[in-house]
Amino acid sequence: MGRVGRALADETRCRILVELTARPAYPSELADRLGESRSKISNHLSCLRGCGLVVAIWEGKKVRYEIADPRLTHALADLLGIVLAVDSDAECVEDHVEQPA
């Protein structure tokens, strides 16, 4: 639980997770979508990987990241729903999270 809490304690890591719940991505894509440096995104991805929340899949010289377990996608979607229910000022991110079947 502590590792998950540490991962979710940072806004950029949360934004990365939201992006990855919609689809796998390369670090450069995440940097562009989130308006952050590639270096910063790579550091956060390393943390998320260390926490067991994302996995790196090597494709030749490129690495693609995705959520480590489908149950995590479901849990993140539920967590976002709770955040939006209790925080009317929360940025709407519902459109970025696929609802699991």
Side-chain angles (χ1 to χ4, degrees):
M1 291 291 281
R3 290 186 308 168
V4 173
R6 178 173 167 244
L8 295 177
D10 183 86
E11 181 181 346
T12 301
R13 288 194 292 269
C14 288
R15 292 172 59 212
I16 290 170
L17 287 171
V18 168
E19 288 290 327
L20 292 177
T21 58
R23 64 196 155 285
Y26 299 96
S28 60
E29 293 173 334
L30 291 167
D32 291 344
R33 283 189 223 148
L34 300 176
E36 301 286 353
S37 71
R38 290 180 184 185
S39 157
K40 184 175 182 179
I41 294 298
S42 290
N43 288 337
H44 285 297
L45 286 167
S46 177
C47 175
L48 292 170
R49 195 174 62 242
C51 291
L53 300 180
V54 302
V55 292
I57 299 167
W58 287 92
E59 299 174 341
K61 292 183 179 182
K62 294 176 76 173
V63 63
R64 175 176 48 90
Y65 285 86
E66 61 185 48
I67 299 294
D69 187 298
R71 293 174 292 185
L72 181 57
T73 300
H74 191 297
L76 289 168
D78 288 347
L79 182 58
L80 283 170
I82 292 167
V83 168
L84 292 171
V86 299
D87 186 357
S88 60
D89 295 330
E91 180 180 329
C92 185
V93 291
E94 291 177 311
D95 297 335
H96 297 293
V97 179
E98 282 186 20
Q99 295 296 322

